[in-house]
Amino acid sequence: MRTVLTPLLAACVALAAAPATAQTERVETGDIRGAIAQIGTHLGEMSMTMPAAAGEGVSEVLRFEPYQMLDDLFRSDIVLLMRHGPTDWSKRDRTDVAPDDCDNQRIMTEDGKTQMRDLGALLVANELVPSRVVVSQWCRNQETFDAIVAGMERVDPEIMRDIKVDTDPSLNLLLSLQGAPNVTDMRERISAWDGEGGEAEGPLLVISHFTNIQELTEFSVYEGEMLVVDPTRANRVLGYIRLGSAKPDIGHFDASVVPDE
């Protein structure tokens, strides 16, 4: 396991060891671009705090839970298992549509793309940059990745130079249309991750679908939400990361019920 102990992480670990309170606390050290706040006993937030062109227009925050997993977020040998970003549920996938047929499947909204760009910027600002990314072939997943990259590059134009990226059909929508037959390959990929992504250091980012993630983990995830998975503990889900604006979608949740944070 490779753990990168940055100044931000050192400060965050110190904060994590402090007594939890329901009051907002901020950590700002030196030239760090992000800040972490504890907003409750179990919930934390990550934001962009430095005034910079890259941060202009980023009104989002990253929420993560439980707060006690804070130090695990910065490990290279974890996996961020993500569902694609927010989509337009007024348009459903046509029966047996091909994964790359964007005209006949549900795709991202413009607001969703903006949110995923903010997500990318926040990941870089808070030093949560993957060293390897694998993405489903489906259009909404590819759009999600493209938007995340655009946000990441706003903060650091060279950020993608050493990050390996693959499109993987085994992450395609499970048992539906022209999707993946099972999650076996997906499970094996996650289980095999040991943090050795190549030139860069950071976790593995996997961008798949609600059904695949639920089948693998038994967790129901929002659009744009990431589960933090630990291959060293038999793929145990340690917690989640998602934008503060993330809400249930009408396809898999009762959208009239928004859980308390």
Side-chain angles (χ1 to χ4, degrees):
M1 179 188 76
R2 297 182 297 173
T3 300
V4 183
L5 192 60
T6 63
L8 175 60
L9 177 54
C12 293
V13 171
L15 178 57
T21 70
Q23 312 230 338
T24 298
E25 300 179 71
R26 302 197 73 82
V27 176
E28 298 183 37
T29 61
D31 60 354
I32 297 302
R33 288 167 289 185
I36 293 181
Q38 185 168 358
I39 62 174
T41 303
H42 301 292
L43 187 66
E45 285 188 351
M46 300 180 180
S47 62
M48 295 182 71
T49 58
M50 280 189 65
E56 290 178 2
V58 178
S59 58
E60 291 277 4
V61 294
L62 284 178
R63 286 193 168 179
F64 64 96
E65 190 176 2
Y67 191 82
Q68 288 73 16
M69 75 166 180
L70 179 58
D71 53 339
D72 288 312
L73 295 181
F74 298 90
R75 289 167 41 195
S76 292
D77 62 346
I78 61 167
V79 176
L80 302 177
L81 180 54
M82 180 181 181
R83 184 183 175 195
H84 58 76
T87 56
D88 179 5
W89 280 90
S90 69
K91 180 179 181 179
R92 300 301 178 102
D93 300 323
R94 192 185 69 186
T95 301
D96 205 31
V97 63
D100 59 354
D101 181 0
C102 301
D103 290 334
N104 292 292
Q105 63 179 261
R106 196 175 84 251
I107 57 175
M108 290 187 67
T109 62
E110 290 304 313
D111 284 345
K113 292 177 182 178
T114 298
Q115 290 166 8
M116 293 300 97
R117 286 192 289 270
D118 285 354
L119 173 62
L122 286 163
L123 290 176
V124 177
N126 289 283
E127 301 178 10
L128 292 172
V129 181
S131 61
R132 190 178 186 94
V133 182
V134 287
V135 189
S136 162
Q137 291 179 306
W138 283 69
C139 297
R140 48 186 175 264
N141 298 71
Q142 295 290 325
E143 290 175 331
T144 297
F145 175 65
D146 289 344
I148 289 173
V149 169
M152 293 171 67
E153 291 181 336
R154 286 179 59 192
V155 181
D156 181 354
E158 302 297 322
I159 194 70
M160 295 301 298
R161 182 180 57 192
D162 297 323
I163 299 175
K164 294 185 177 180
V165 181
D166 296 307
T167 294
D168 186 352
S170 74
L171 305 181
N172 289 358
L173 191 60
L174 180 66
L175 295 176
S176 177
L177 312 172
Q178 297 184 35
N182 53 56
V183 295
T184 300
D185 289 345
M186 182 176 170
R187 179 183 291 109
E188 290 177 353
R189 180 185 280 275
I190 291 172
S191 298
W193 180 250
D194 59 3
E196 299 294 332
E199 295 297 323
E201 289 193 350
L204 171 66
L205 173 59
V206 176
I207 306 178
S208 189
H209 301 262
F210 177 94
T211 311
N212 306 55
I213 296 171
Q214 187 180 60
E215 175 70 15
L216 184 66
T217 68
E218 298 185 359
F219 280 77
S220 298
V221 292
Y222 294 174
E223 291 180 313
E225 181 174 0
M226 301 176 182
L227 296 182
V228 181
V229 180
D230 188 348
T232 71
R233 304 184 206 175
N235 293 343
R236 176 182 175 184
V237 175
L238 303 181
Y240 73 81
I241 305 172
R242 66 181 179 226
L243 291 176
S245 64
K247 297 291 187 293
D249 58 87
I250 63 173
H252 296 285
F253 298 91
D254 180 353
S256 67
V257 179
V258 179
D260 294 331
E261 296 290 6

